[in-house]
Amino acid sequence: MKETFTRYFFTPIWKCEEIEHDLNLLENEGWRLDKVSGFRKFHFIKSQPKSVNYFFTCSFVKEIGMIQTEQAIKRQFNATQIRGGFIELLKSTSVYRMTKAVDLLQRRVYRNIYLRHLVLQYILLGLFFTLISGISITLSCVLDKNPLFDIRHLFFAIVGLFGLIITFRYLAGLFYLRRQYINFFQSNQSSSAEE
């Protein structure tokens, strides 16, 4: 019977390069990712240490998202898709393994652009919930003459708070992705200057 262990990765999806790095290190130590299940539950099996590259793709549900990137890494780099994946809110995520040295900068830049698109959608969704709850509470106070701190406003207050949390969380993700995007080009320009 093969030796196994599981690990949860709770890093936000916009920091998927950190998870990829950890998966690469685990494979170098002889722990191969076998499958992903549930809420970010990663299953590993003991194997021969190997130098590999892991790559995440992410798509908004019902959107084509990164299908072209997935097809390209399968075709160009002989990438293998790991069984399973995870769905977080309205995003589905897949993980790929490549066993040869590959240059994934172009694919990472595209993923960064796509993730910013996803993050903006969540920011707008959070703002929508906040706005709707604010309007509902205001109308209740003005039209129905209810006091501001009325128990009937509790549901809308919770929805508004939830919307604010989503908005600020994904704003942080947007700023992170923008910094990362700038770093991609700065590192690319510095490597071009060295050549």
Side-chain angles (χ1 to χ4, degrees):
M1 187 172 178
K2 290 192 175 186
E3 192 178 348
T4 64
F5 88 96
T6 58
R7 180 173 166 186
Y8 289 89
F9 287 92
F10 294 110
T11 307
I13 195 60
W14 56 81
K15 293 185 176 182
C16 56
E17 287 193 16
E18 293 177 13
I19 304 173
E20 291 167 350
H21 178 72
D22 288 348
L23 294 175
N24 293 344
L25 289 177
L26 284 165
E27 184 97 23
N28 279 333
E29 295 170 2
W31 290 103
R32 169 167 283 194
L33 179 60
D34 183 47
K35 69 177 179 176
V36 182
S37 65
F39 182 70
R40 296 183 177 229
K41 187 176 184 180
F42 288 66
H43 302 262
F44 297 88
I45 57 171
K46 190 70 176 166
S47 65
Q48 293 296 319
K50 191 183 280 187
S51 179
V52 298
N53 286 300
Y54 282 93
F55 188 80
F56 278 76
T57 61
C58 184
S59 294
F60 201 73
V61 173
K62 305 259 185 201
E63 219 174 45
I64 58 171
M66 299 190 71
I67 290 176
Q68 291 177 336
T69 294
E70 292 174 349
Q71 292 170 345
I73 63 173
K74 285 179 186 176
R75 189 174 50 251
Q76 292 173 350
F77 306 132
N78 200 25
T80 305
Q81 185 173 0
I82 305 301
R83 293 184 299 147
F86 58 89
I87 296 176
E88 179 184 307
L89 295 176
L90 299 174
K91 303 180 297 289
S92 67
T93 305
S94 300
V95 185
Y96 290 86
R97 178 192 302 112
M98 288 150 277
T99 55
K100 59 182 180 180
V102 293
D103 180 13
L104 292 169
L105 179 63
Q106 182 182 2
R107 299 294 163 199
R108 285 193 172 111
V109 169
Y110 175 76
R111 179 179 64 193
N112 181 286
I113 293 167
Y114 183 73
L115 285 174
R116 281 189 285 161
H117 162 74
L118 286 182
V119 164
L120 280 171
Q121 288 180 351
Y122 278 97
I123 290 169
L124 291 175
L125 192 65
L127 288 173
F128 172 76
F129 282 121
T130 303
L131 185 65
I132 291 297
S133 65
I135 289 171
S136 300
I137 292 171
T138 303
L139 287 176
S140 174
C141 291
V142 172
L143 297 178
D144 297 337
K145 307 280 192 248
N146 291 328
L148 180 61
F149 297 105
D150 191 346
I151 192 72
R152 289 174 280 195
H153 297 157
L154 183 62
F155 171 75
F156 292 113
I158 291 171
V159 169
L161 181 62
F162 177 71
L164 279 176
I165 290 169
I166 288 175
T167 301
F168 286 117
R169 180 174 192 264
Y170 283 91
L171 268 173
L174 182 64
F175 289 124
Y176 178 87
L177 289 167
R178 289 186 69 180
R179 278 195 317 271
Q180 188 183 50
Y181 186 77
I182 292 166
N183 291 339
F184 284 147
F185 288 103
Q186 287 176 346
S187 65
N188 195 29
Q189 287 174 350
S190 64
S191 64
S192 298
E194 290 173 4
E195 293 173 2

